[in-house]
Structures are given as structure tokens and as C-alpha cells.
Amino acid sequence: MAGEDRVLAGGAKYIDFQTEPSRYRHWKLAVDGEIATLTMDVDETGGLFEGYQLKLNSYDLGVDIELADAVQRLRFEHPGVKVVVLRSGKNRVFCAGANIRMLAGATHAHKVNFCKFTNETRNGLEDSSANSGQRFITVVNGTAAGGGYELALATDHIILADDGAAAVALPELPLLAVLPGTGGLTRVVDKRKVRRDRADYFCTIEEGIKGKRAVQWRLVDEIVPNSKLEAKVSERARQFAAASKRDGNGSGISLTPLKRNFDDNGVRYGLVSVDIDRAQRIATISIKAPDAPPPNDIDGVITQGASFWPLQVARELDDAILHLRINELETAMLVFKSHGDRANVLACDALLEANKSHWLVNEIRQYWKRVLKRIDVTSRTLVTLIEPGSCFAGTLAELVFAADRSYMLIGQKQGDNRAPPAIELTPMNFGPYPMSHGLTRLQSRFQADVSDLDRAREKIGEALDAEQAEQLGLVTFALDDIDWDDEIRVFLEERTSFSPDGLTGMEANLRFVGPETMESKIFSRLTAWQNWIFQRPNAVGENGALLRYGTGQKPQFDMTRV
Amino acid sequence: MAGEDRVLAGGAKYIDFQTEPSRYRHWKLAVDGEIATLTMDVDETGGLFEGYQLKLNSYDLGVDIELADAVQRLRFEHPGVKVVVLRSGKNRVFCAGANIRMLAGATHAHKVNFCKFTNETRNGLEDSSANSGQRFITVVNGTAAGGGYELALATDHIILADDGAAAVALPELPLLAVLPGTGGLTRVVDKRKVRRDRADYFCTIEEGIKGKRAVQWRLVDEIVPNSKLEAKVSERARQFAAASKRDGNGSGISLTPLKRNFDDNGVRYGLVSVDIDRAQRIATISIKAPDAPPPNDIDGVITQGASFWPLQVARELDDAILHLRINELETAMLVFKSHGDRANVLACDALLEANKSHWLVNEIRQYWKRVLKRIDVTSRTLVTLIEPGSCFAGTLAELVFAADRSYMLIGQKQGDNRAPPAIELTPMNFGPYPMSHGLTRLQSRFQADVSDLDRAREKIGEALDAEQAEQLGLVTFALDDIDWDDEIRVFLEERTSFSPDGLTGMEANLRFVGPETMESKIFSRLTAWQNWIFQRPNAVGENGALLRYGTGQKPQFDMTRV
């Protein structure tokens, strides 16, 4: 499923995004007061698939899943950590980037999904720095090439050993005929603001840049002789810690293992369930409201920890999306549903709003933001159905606004005595969950007339029925019971008959109305071009650079410039 | 060269971007005082290539070349025209969009180049409206589908006949498995601000939307019954003319035919020459400075007309770039050179700055802006060499800043008694030539420290030698005579050995530092995704939608969602 001729290592049936430090094969996480050290020490034999070795601290998706887990745990389990030092456990090598053998043998879909996840993880580092006060320092003790340097680029401060050998490099183009596509091109010019012609030079040389020029060109922040490296790292870590606003005194909460049940037709979590109709190629994701109101105060939230409803749902939803993305490639569409007591959902939102300055609540809000962003860049048609018994309120209503289309039932269904469905807005729909391009989903929705946003805001706290919601522009279509089944059925059938590629391109364009940010540029300008290159014979053909790399044979290029 | 199994119609050897109204086969341009009418009446048998017919006002590149010419002439030859009414010469059909047979049989490179040029032409309509006060009104008298509606989207005001049949549609996705990629997706949500979920619906239906819903959803500006259509068009044209600030009283200047000489090794224009080294795959574009100072005043400029140096160079350079893009596909690199008296170039810039409120000078400045933008999105490596005898000053210096890299000689060359080269800045480098993303090239260049821009501005009017230029950050590398030949040779050889696709992707990312605008989003998010789709078997494969369209056979899709 995930590789052309590849099977997952160890007899695994699917790629699992859940892990924990005790199971890491490639990273070591050590916490010492305010400073954590995250050491990359990739196990060559620990590849996710069979058929390649992860030499020179090169990585595959499995390595990145551990990194994402570590970053997540640093936020929730280590509120006292203000600085994370990212470094290599290998001698004279920082990281050689994405493993080339892995890439050469991966399906197009796996390449694209791999890059998407690594991009999300690197954006996550920056999010942690910006919104949790956890600053990242990278210590480049040897070669940081390609994805290795791209990882460093996602951190706040890059220290390069000044030993005549350590260097940063983006050699993808000359070596592999692909782009530094995990944010590299974008971050070099947009984040580190390397002059574009220097960036051009840098991205076309294999050997990279070291020493003073690396600093002068803004590729790294400082160079330090090996003899003084450890002292400098400690000094910088202390400085960054002193400047951090992170205020997570006390202990964190434990991100306990998710309870999941995989079967042939989906996954069942505690609060989220995924039902896959393979014939229709539709996955229905249902979210259950809390059975009871949330705790009264923050101490109660801390006591609930990972089972606090908003956090548990976010974790389950995140895992479900990742699972579907990479393991269920023929699923055309995600249909979001919800059920349960809307009042309890609203009470959770109220708690999240009232305690937003508390570190844990902040983390939960930031996490929801990231999960929703992950949904935004998921290449599946997103549909939300608002039916009797549903509870799309506040945070959950973002799934209505994230959807490519939403349908809401007018009134009741015949033979169903549940009340007509309602949606309800909360302050969570008006700020804390911006999309990657910086606008909230409602801002994106109401570009034509900003007063529509004000009209919606005035309805905070009111249960809105289908006709009100449609009139306010909050749902795509309101349908009564007579039309509901037929219209939905026809829509689903038609949608799933379209070209998956065409839909991916269309949705990626229509979802991001208005401005672009560095983050959104990575998913649009950079990723779209990389995906194009990942289809071109010059990169992926039999005589292309990816397959020829390391064979001693030069790639043969069609020299047509397109 | 330009089609897989296609030959150019009429025995043509290359695609020619030069035309004039008397030669149009597909458009009629009629001027009546302040109002011009541009009527699309495509000659079915007038395709650019053999092998397809342009039915239902569908278009190919040849049709668009005429449109671009007409729009250009309206700006220069018709300063009195304040409103352009765009309409169809066919009964009950506005325009069926890009011809599908043409697309199905076109090479990947031709598809991409075709879309790029049509995008530039549509952006040009908007540029004319924004910067020349020529407003465009589209009269949709029947079906405006795909590229037909995308053309309407580029205009200021869309009037749809309310006759129960006339409709606007973007049926690319359901019919052809490709995107409405000539700005359609972007303009629907970013310009017309159609709500994204409605846009999703609109872009997945074949039949389009007509009548009141088209207005309510913001797809058109108004609907008018056929009986009142002509009166309404006249009324709107008069209103728009009255509101226009266009101030081009008197007669325009004639865009006389370019003098060109094609041979096997290039093209020679009056002031621009193109020398193609096919073995090296390099085209050198040399621009000659004026032999004499420009006229003293605007009357002199008008008298010179199309032979006024800045206008003549812009037209020749524009034609050269277009020619190389589409007819010389294996050319990897454009090397810009210049020669002649810098003082005369500077005097032209001074004239363009002193008279910028005059309509003709405004048009020349706007045109240079568009030519430079065309260079920015040209998928060839751009290099500028600044050697003795060169005259990169002001407007021409933009070619230094547009380049992916520039090299400047320190001092003189052995055996060459010409003075060391100098570059010189003018106010033209600080405003009038923004890139598509809204920044000037120097702003883009100096993102790291805005004071670099100020330092450069302070040097306006000073001749800067190589070391000064390098120190100011204006050139990539300054080299002395000892290194020059070897370094340039090695660079050119290495660069042309890289994968053309990788370079295209890299350059498209590094050139556009910072923000994106609607226009730049069209060339990044939208175009890059479309190019990806143009490589996918679901669209272009043997069983894909483009080849199967009209055969009665349904396309067969690989349902993997990437």
C-alpha cells in the first residue's frame, strides 16, 4: 500500500503514527531542568520499510514520526522546558536528510505524504517556539545536508562547528534533480532572508557552505570552534531560556497511549470513530461529545490530563487523519459527523477560553489549531453533515468551516424524534484557530463582505437551525428530509467519481482564499512544484536522478525546459 | 518542436507572437470614441496547429496572441478609449474555453507555455484597467465555459444574458480532470470573492450557473434580459467611461511592425539581438543603448513613437522572450548583456520619470513592468553579465536584479582598453517596476535588512564599479579578469547540466521572496498544481480524461488520492 515494491518492516500492516520515548529507535530525549536535548541518532537498520538502510543519520517517515512525538511531548509533558537543543549523536555528521534509497523506491503518493508530514512537523517546531515559548537551538557538528539542513532551518538558532568540515548544504538539485522541498527553499529566503541570488548559488552546489561565509550569508547564526562548542551551546541555551516566556511551572500531563481498535472497516477510538466504506471510498469520522460537563477549574483539567475531552478528541482526530492519509489512499472523501450533548461541548469551549493563559489550556488550543491545519492540507474531499443529534459547536464547528462543503438538515427526519440539528458559534471560531495562511476559517469564508463576519459574531451563544445557518452563510446547503438522502447520495457518488488529482488541485486552491504566509507558501508554491518534479522522468524515471543516484551512472535528462 | 504529433498550420516554422488587426482571424476590434468593442469570432479553421478545429469560439495560443495584441494596441494606439466591451460574435455562445483537442494533443511544454501566456494576457487586462483606466466589460450572451469564463473573470464587469440558457461554468474538473488553471480558481475566490464552498460546488458541475444564482453567488455582476441587453451594455459602457481617469486626449502612436531577422542562430532586432548557442543551450540577449540622447520633451517622444528607445527595446525584448520560451525549448539559460552609452540610457530614464503623468510615458513604464514580470516567470535560468562597454543603468539594471545570478567584472580585461564596467541606479529601480508579488526587485533582494535598500537609494546617480556594486549587494559576484572567463565558463557548463525541471522549480521558488498577491498566486499555487495535473495519467494518460473526452469512452482513473 505504501511503497511500490516495498513492504513495511517487521511485518507491520500499516504505518503507525503513535509512539513514545521508550520505543524510539532514532532519537533520545533528555530533559535537564529548563533545557532538553533531543539527539538524533538514527538506527541504520530501523527503516520503516524493508530495502534500505538509514545511513549517516538519514531519515524516513518512521524517524520523523518519532520527532513529531518528541516535540509534542515536550509541549505537554514538559512545561518547564524552555529550550530544546537539537543535535546529532553521530560523529562529524549532523543529518544527511531524507534517505535517497527510500525516496527512490517510494510511490508518488508516499513521497508526497512523507513530505507533507515532515513539513507539518517542522512547522510544529516553529509553532512551539512562537506559541509555547520553547525555543530550538540546532548544533550542526558535521554535514547538515538537504533535509538535515531543512530541519535546522525550522529551529530558532543554528550553531555550526567551525572545524573546516562541518557545513550546511541543500544539494538536492545537483545530486537528485528534486527540490529541497521540506520548506528549504522557502525558509532560506523567507525566514533566514538569504539574498535570492546567494540562495541560488547555495542550492546548486553539492558541498554546501561552511565557516564565515555561512554566517555572512545568513545560513547559520554563528560558527564556533569545536573546542568551545559545548560551552557555547550551554551559554546560548541559558540565554534563550532566560528570554523565554514559557510559564509551565510544575509537572506536565502524560500523553498516555491512545486506545484504538483497528479492524477492516475502520478505527475505533474512545471518542472518535472512523468507518470506511471501501466500495464507496468514503471514510466517516464521527466525534462524540463529552458525556458530562468538563471540570470546574484548571486543577480538574490537569487531573483529567489526556482524557480531558478537548485533548483526547484532538489526539484521536489527529491520529485518524494521519492514518487515513497514508494508509487509506483510495479513500476519496472524509465525512465529518458528530453526536452528543452540545452543551458539554460548549462548556469545554468556555473552559478553554476562560483559562487560555494557563499553559496546558494554551497547549490544547494550539494543538487543536494544528490538527485543524492538518485537515486543511489533507488531500481528501472534506464534507460535514449536520444532522439531528449532532453537536457542531465552537471548536467542533471548525469542522463545518474546514469542509469543502457542508450540508445541514432542515427540521427533523421522518421517524426520528430527535430535535432538528443546530450549530452554535463560540469565541473559538473567531481567532484561536487560524489556518496556515493566517486567516480564521470564518474570515476566509466571508471575504466578500466583512460585515458577514460581524453578523456571525453577534450570534455567539445562539443555537442556529439550518435555515438560520444557511442565511448566515455558515453552511453550504440546508436541505429538508425529503431531499436529504437523495441529494447527499448523488453528491457523494458524483464526487468520488472525479479524478482524485483534479480534486486535490482544486481543493488546494479553493481552501486558501486570500493571503499567503511562509507556512502556506511551503504547502502551495514549494510543495506543488515539488510534486510536479516528483512526476517528471528527469527525477523519477528509469534514467532519472533519483534512481541513478549512487549507481555510478549519470542521470539522463530530457533537456526540454518547461 | 511545439506539439507531439502536431505541425504548425500553414507551414509555419515557429510560433510568431507578432500580429496586427488587419491580420486577425479571430477577433474584431472596433473603436467608437471612448468605447471600443473587441469581438471574439474564432475562425474554426484558423488553428495554430493542424489537427483540430476551433469550434464554439474555443481558443488556442494563436487566438490568444491576437487578443494580447489587441489589448496592447488599445493602450498605445487608442489613448481615447476608456472602456472595452468584450463580446462574442457567435450566436448563443460566448466562448467554450481552451480547445480540448488542442490540449489533448499538445506536449507538456506547450500546455504549460500556453497557460503561462494566457495568464499573462489576462493579467494584462487587469493591468490596463488598474493602471491605464481602460475598463473591460464582458457581455456573456451564451455559454462562457472554462477558459471562456476565465477570460470574463479577468474583466471588471460581467453582464450575463438572462435568457434561461446563457451561463457561466468552470467544467474542467468534471469533464477533463484538469483545473480551471488560467486564473479561474484563484479569481473566483480571491477576486470575485465567491464563498469557497460555493466555488467548490460551481467548479464541480458541468452545466454551470445562470440567472439569479449567478448574481447572488457573485459569479457575474448582473443579469439582463436579451431584449434589454444592448441598451444595458451601452449604459454601462457610458458609466464606466465617465468614471475612467484615462486622459489620453489626441491620437495614439502606431505600434509599427517590429523589424526582425530570424536565422538558425538567433534573432536580430534593431536594438536587441538574440544569439543562440545550441551546443551550450544558451541564448545571449544583448541590448543596445540609444545612439543619441532622447528627445527633449514629450512631443519629441510622440514623434519618435514606436522607435522611441525605451518602447522599442521593450517590444523587442518582449518578443524575444516569448520566442525563446515557446520555440527554443532546449535553451537552458538566458544571458543578458548590454552595450552602448550609459548616459543615453540614463537620459531615457530621466525622461520617463519627469513625464510619468503623460499617458504615453505611463504606458511605456507599465509595459516595461509587464515585460520584466514576463522575464520573472520565464522558466530559464537568468544570468546577467556586466562587462566593459555595458550600460546596465536604471531600467536596464532591472535585468541585473531579475537575474538568478549576476557577475560583474572588476577592472578591465586584458587587451581591452574600454573602461571598467559600472552600473547605475535611477528612481526606476525603486518603484515603477514591481514584480507580480508586489515588491520591487530591490525590495525582494534586501529582505534581510531594509537599510540595504536605503543605502542603495543613496547611490542613485553614481556610477558603481564592481566592488562597490558587490559591497552594496547589487550583484552576486564581482570577478577580476584572471578569474572571469574560467568562472563564467564553469558556471554555465554546470548550470546547463542540471535537470531542467529541478531548475524550473527552484527558480520559481527563490525568485519570489515574501508576500504573494492574487497575480503571483496564479503563477504559484494554481499553476504549479495544474502543471502537476498535466503530468498525471488521470488527465493526460492514454485512458485519461483529456484524450478520452468526446470519444464516448469514460476515462479510467487511478483512484489513489495523493
Side-chain angles (χ1 to χ4, degrees):
Chain A
M1 187 178 295
E4 223 123 33
D5 304 301
R6 288 273 164 75
V7 290
L8 288 166
K13 289 188 178 153
Y14 57 88
I15 295 173
D16 189 354
F17 289 85
Q18 294 302 309
T19 186
E20 56 188 310
S22 69
R23 290 163 55 203
Y24 291 175
R25 294 185 69 167
H26 310 294
W27 294 88
K28 293 185 183 72
L29 177 57
V31 175
D32 181 11
E34 294 185 339
I35 297 164
T37 302
L38 194 48
T39 303
M40 185 178 202
D41 194 3
V42 175
D43 176 355
E44 283 188 17
T45 65
L48 187 62
F49 294 92
E50 293 180 0
Y52 53 83
Q53 290 198 304
L54 297 172
K55 295 192 175 168
L56 297 172
N57 255 7
S58 64
Y59 61 86
D60 66 2
L61 181 61
V63 177
D64 230 64
I65 287 171
E66 292 185 3
L67 173 62
D69 182 76
V71 173
Q72 185 77 333
R73 287 182 195 277
L74 279 162
R75 297 180 78 159
F76 281 96
E77 300 188 344
H78 301 283
V81 167
K82 297 180 174 179
V83 171
V84 183
V85 177
L86 195 68
R87 59 193 312 167
S88 162
K90 311 281 190 211
N91 233 344
R92 303 178 73 82
V93 170
F94 176 72
C95 167
N99 186 273
I100 297 167
R101 292 266 154 273
M102 176 280 292
L103 273 183
T107 59
H108 183 66
H110 186 76
K111 284 193 201 72
V112 170
N113 270 310
F114 166 67
C115 290
K116 191 177 283 180
F117 183 79
T118 55
N119 272 320
E120 290 170 323
T121 304
R122 277 135 200 79
N123 292 342
L125 298 182
E126 291 174 332
D127 184 71
S128 181
S129 172
N131 300 308
S132 294
Q134 263 181 355
R135 309 295 301 279
F136 286 78
I137 295 172
T138 305
V139 185
V140 180
N141 63 311
T143 305
Y149 179 49
E150 289 178 299
L151 179 56
L153 283 169
T155 67
D156 299 287
H157 191 83
I158 306 175
I159 302 174
L160 176 65
D162 189 18
D163 61 0
V168 296
L170 291 178
E172 284 90 339
L173 177 86
L175 283 184
L176 304 169
V178 300
L179 303 183
T182 314
L185 292 178
T186 312
R187 283 199 178 86
V188 163
V189 292
D190 277 343
K191 181 181 183 180
R192 298 203 59 95
K193 301 183 189 300
V194 175
R195 221 175 62 208
R196 55 165 277 207
D197 53 342
R198 290 176 165 171
D200 178 278
Y201 177 82
F202 175 61
C203 296
T204 54
I205 55 174
E206 295 178 15
E207 66 276 18
I209 290 180
K210 61 191 175 187
K212 278 183 192 149
R213 180 176 264 190
V215 179
Q216 282 161 355
W217 284 22
R218 310 176 57 89
L219 294 162
V220 306
D221 293 286
E222 57 184 329
I223 50 173
V224 182
N226 272 326
S227 60
K228 298 181 181 166
L229 191 60
E230 293 313 314
K232 180 61 79 179
V233 172
S234 298
E235 181 195 333
R236 290 287 176 243
R238 284 194 306 274
Q239 283 174 349
F240 277 74
S244 165
K245 290 185 181 151
R246 188 160 170 90
D247 173 30
N249 44 39
S251 55
I253 62 148
S254 177
L255 295 179
T256 50
L258 290 184
K259 291 178 185 121
R260 300 176 299 176
N261 239 320
F262 289 88
D263 63 34
D264 284 351
N265 301 317
V267 197
R268 256 139 291 276
Y269 302 84
L271 297 164
V272 172
S273 69
V274 178
D275 294 284
I276 301 172
D277 182 331
R278 287 181 209 284
Q280 281 205 81
R281 299 188 298 104
I282 293 174
T284 302
I285 300 179
S286 301
I287 300 172
K288 187 171 171 295
D291 285 331
N296 288 323
D297 57 20
I298 192 69
D299 289 337
V301 172
I302 292 169
T303 304
Q304 289 193 354
S307 62
F308 177 51
W309 183 86
L311 179 55
Q312 185 179 339
V313 172
R315 292 181 71 208
E316 293 178 356
L317 186 55
D318 204 19
D319 189 67
I321 296 290
L322 288 169
H323 171 69
L324 290 167
R325 259 196 204 169
I326 208 147
N327 294 308
E328 296 288 350
L329 294 171
E330 295 214 348
T331 299
M333 189 184 289
L334 309 185
V335 175
F336 292 100
K337 296 189 178 188
S338 65
H339 57 104
D341 189 343
R342 191 171 73 243
N344 290 338
V345 175
L346 291 167
C348 287
D349 261 22
L351 188 63
L352 292 179
E353 187 62 11
N355 295 281
K356 64 184 171 191
S357 60
H358 187 269
W359 77 266
L360 177 57
V361 171
N362 178 55
E363 288 303 345
I364 294 168
R365 291 161 60 111
Q366 300 294 342
Y367 186 30
W368 262 101
K369 179 189 69 183
R370 294 196 302 283
V371 174
L372 291 164
K373 282 184 183 183
R374 209 192 286 284
I375 291 170
D376 292 331
V377 296
T378 292
S379 62
R380 301 288 190 282
T381 295
L382 307 171
V383 180
T384 302
L385 299 182
I386 308 156
E387 298 170 292
S390 66
C391 53
F392 287 110
T395 296
L396 286 191
E398 288 296 302
L399 295 171
V400 179
F401 312 136
D404 298 302
R405 288 198 215 168
S406 57
Y407 291 82
M408 187 164 180
L409 184 80
I410 301 171
Q412 295 175 289
K413 283 195 176 182
Q414 209 180 3
D416 180 346
N417 61 7
R418 288 178 300 179
I423 62 176
E424 194 165 333
L425 301 174
T426 75
M428 304 305 277
N429 304 116
F430 296 87
Y433 304 138
M435 299 171 70
S436 66
H437 67 342
L439 303 184
T440 66
R441 289 170 192 79
L442 283 183
Q443 281 176 321
S444 285
R445 194 169 184 84
F446 295 133
Q447 287 286 291
D449 185 352
V450 74
S451 71
D452 289 339
L453 191 63
D454 297 330
R455 284 201 307 154
R457 193 182 281 109
E458 284 163 18
K459 300 293 181 185
I460 288 178
E462 288 183 37
L464 303 166
D465 68 19
E467 279 157 322
Q468 288 173 297
E470 187 182 46
Q471 198 264 327
L472 287 163
L474 297 172
V475 298
T476 316
F477 295 114
L479 301 173
D480 61 22
D481 187 35
I482 296 170
D483 293 328
W484 182 267
D485 286 346
D486 274 354
E487 291 240 5
I488 303 288
R489 183 181 52 74
V490 168
F491 163 56
L492 298 182
E493 280 176 11
E494 191 176 66
R495 187 75 167 204
T496 53
S497 75
F498 293 147
S499 162
D501 308 321
L503 287 172
T504 292
M506 183 189 82
E507 291 157 4
N509 278 279
L510 295 182
R511 287 178 190 167
F512 296 89
V513 179
E516 301 267 6
T517 61
M518 186 181 77
E519 185 179 326
S520 73
K521 278 177 81 174
I522 289 173
F523 289 113
S524 56
R525 194 180 268 276
L526 181 59
T527 296
W529 277 114
Q530 177 81 307
N531 290 356
W532 175 72
I533 289 166
F534 277 160
Q535 280 286 186
R536 299 283 290 161
N538 285 341
V540 299
E542 214 176 310
N543 304 320
L546 273 178
L547 280 182
R548 289 252 167 129
Y549 181 77
T551 64
Q553 283 186 297
K554 280 197 161 189
Q556 286 177 1
F557 294 139
D558 172 355
M559 286 302 185
T560 303
R561 193 68 197 246
V562 175
Chain B
M1 185 178 292
E4 224 123 34
D5 304 301
R6 287 273 164 75
V7 289
L8 289 165
K13 288 188 179 153
Y14 57 87
I15 295 173
D16 190 353
F17 289 86
Q18 295 301 309
T19 187
E20 55 188 310
S22 69
R23 290 162 56 202
Y24 291 175
R25 294 184 70 168
H26 310 295
W27 294 88
K28 293 185 184 73
L29 176 58
V31 175
D32 181 10
E34 295 184 338
I35 297 164
T37 302
L38 194 48
T39 304
M40 186 178 201
D41 193 2
V42 175
D43 175 355
E44 281 189 16
T45 66
L48 187 62
F49 296 91
E50 292 180 359
Y52 54 83
Q53 290 198 304
L54 297 172
K55 295 192 176 168
L56 297 172
N57 255 6
S58 64
Y59 62 85
D60 65 3
L61 181 61
V63 177
D64 230 64
I65 287 171
E66 293 185 2
L67 172 61
D69 182 77
V71 173
Q72 184 77 332
R73 287 181 196 278
L74 280 163
R75 297 180 77 158
F76 281 95
E77 301 188 343
H78 301 283
V81 168
K82 296 181 174 179
V83 171
V84 183
V85 177
L86 195 68
R87 59 194 311 167
S88 163
K90 312 280 190 211
N91 233 345
R92 303 178 74 81
V93 170
F94 176 72
C95 167
N99 185 272
I100 297 167
R101 293 266 153 273
M102 177 279 293
L103 272 183
T107 60
H108 184 65
H110 185 76
K111 283 192 201 76
V112 170
N113 270 311
F114 165 68
C115 289
K116 190 176 282 178
F117 183 79
T118 54
N119 271 320
E120 290 170 324
T121 305
R122 277 135 199 79
N123 292 342
L125 298 183
E126 291 174 331
D127 184 71
S128 182
S129 173
N131 299 306
S132 294
Q134 262 180 356
R135 309 295 301 279
F136 287 78
I137 296 172
T138 306
V139 185
V140 180
N141 63 310
T143 305
Y149 179 49
E150 289 179 299
L151 179 56
L153 284 168
T155 66
D156 298 288
H157 191 84
I158 307 174
I159 302 174
L160 177 65
D162 189 18
D163 61 0
V168 296
L170 290 177
E172 284 90 339
L173 178 87
L175 282 185
L176 304 169
V178 300
L179 303 183
T182 314
L185 291 179
T186 312
R187 284 199 178 85
V188 163
V189 292
D190 278 343
K191 180 180 182 179
R192 299 203 59 95
K193 301 185 189 299
V194 175
R195 221 176 62 207
R196 54 166 277 208
D197 54 341
R198 288 175 167 173
D200 179 278
Y201 177 84
F202 174 61
C203 297
T204 54
I205 56 173
E206 295 178 16
E207 67 276 19
I209 290 181
K210 61 192 175 187
K212 278 183 194 151
R213 181 177 263 191
V215 179
Q216 283 161 355
W217 283 24
R218 310 176 58 88
L219 295 163
V220 305
D221 293 286
E222 58 185 327
I223 50 174
V224 182
N226 272 327
S227 60
K228 297 180 182 169
L229 191 60
E230 294 312 315
K232 181 59 78 179
V233 171
S234 299
E235 181 194 333
R236 290 287 177 242
R238 283 194 307 273
Q239 284 174 348
F240 277 74
S244 165
K245 291 183 180 155
R246 187 160 170 92
D247 171 31
N249 45 38
S251 55
I253 62 148
S254 177
L255 296 178
T256 51
L258 291 184
K259 292 180 184 117
R260 300 177 298 176
N261 238 318
F262 289 88
D263 62 36
D264 283 352
N265 301 317
V267 197
R268 256 139 290 275
Y269 302 84
L271 297 164
V272 172
S273 69
V274 178
D275 293 284
I276 301 173
D277 182 331
R278 286 183 208 285
Q280 282 205 78
R281 298 188 300 105
I282 294 174
T284 301
I285 300 178
S286 301
I287 300 172
K288 189 171 171 295
D291 285 331
N296 288 322
D297 57 21
I298 192 69
D299 289 336
V301 172
I302 293 169
T303 304
Q304 289 194 354
S307 62
F308 177 50
W309 183 85
L311 179 55
Q312 186 179 338
V313 173
R315 291 182 71 208
E316 292 179 357
L317 186 56
D318 203 19
D319 189 66
I321 297 290
L322 288 168
H323 170 68
L324 289 167
R325 258 197 204 169
I326 209 148
N327 293 308
E328 297 288 348
L329 294 172
E330 295 215 348
T331 299
M333 189 182 288
L334 309 185
V335 175
F336 292 100
K337 297 189 178 189
S338 64
H339 56 104
D341 189 344
R342 191 171 72 244
N344 290 338
V345 176
L346 291 166
C348 286
D349 262 22
L351 188 64
L352 292 179
E353 186 63 11
N355 295 280
K356 63 185 170 190
S357 60
H358 187 270
W359 77 266
L360 177 57
V361 171
N362 178 54
E363 288 303 345
I364 293 169
R365 290 163 60 112
Q366 301 293 342
Y367 186 31
W368 262 100
K369 178 189 69 183
R370 294 195 302 283
V371 174
L372 290 164
K373 282 184 180 182
R374 210 193 284 285
I375 291 171
D376 292 331
V377 296
T378 292
S379 62
R380 301 289 190 284
T381 295
L382 307 171
V383 180
T384 302
L385 299 183
I386 308 157
E387 299 170 291
S390 65
C391 55
F392 287 109
T395 296
L396 286 191
E398 288 295 301
L399 295 171
V400 179
F401 313 136
D404 298 303
R405 288 198 214 167
S406 56
Y407 290 82
M408 187 165 180
L409 185 80
I410 301 172
Q412 294 175 288
K413 284 195 176 181
Q414 210 180 3
D416 179 345
N417 62 7
R418 287 178 299 179
I423 63 176
E424 195 166 331
L425 301 174
T426 75
M428 304 305 277
N429 304 117
F430 296 86
Y433 304 139
M435 300 171 69
S436 66
H437 68 342
L439 303 184
T440 66
R441 288 171 193 79
L442 284 183
Q443 282 176 321
S444 285
R445 195 169 183 84
F446 295 134
Q447 287 286 291
D449 185 352
V450 74
S451 71
D452 289 339
L453 191 64
D454 297 331
R455 284 200 308 154
R457 194 184 280 109
E458 285 164 17
K459 300 293 182 185
I460 288 177
E462 288 183 37
L464 303 166
D465 67 20
E467 280 158 321
Q468 288 173 296
E470 188 183 46
Q471 198 265 326
L472 287 164
L474 297 172
V475 298
T476 315
F477 296 114
L479 301 173
D480 61 23
D481 187 35
I482 295 169
D483 294 327
W484 181 267
D485 285 346
D486 273 355
E487 290 239 6
I488 303 288
R489 182 182 51 75
V490 168
F491 163 56
L492 298 181
E493 280 177 12
E494 192 177 66
R495 186 76 167 204
T496 54
S497 75
F498 294 147
S499 160
D501 308 321
L503 287 171
T504 291
M506 183 188 82
E507 292 157 5
N509 278 278
L510 295 181
R511 287 178 191 166
F512 296 89
V513 180
E516 301 267 7
T517 60
M518 186 181 76
E519 185 179 325
S520 73
K521 279 177 81 174
I522 289 173
F523 289 114
S524 57
R525 193 179 268 276
L526 181 59
T527 296
W529 278 115
Q530 178 80 308
N531 290 355
W532 175 72
I533 289 167
F534 277 160
Q535 280 287 183
R536 299 283 291 162
N538 284 342
V540 298
E542 214 177 310
N543 304 320
L546 272 178
L547 281 182
R548 289 253 167 127
Y549 181 77
T551 64
Q553 283 186 294
K554 280 198 163 189
Q556 286 177 2
F557 294 139
D558 171 355
M559 285 302 185
T560 303
R561 191 70 196 246
V562 176

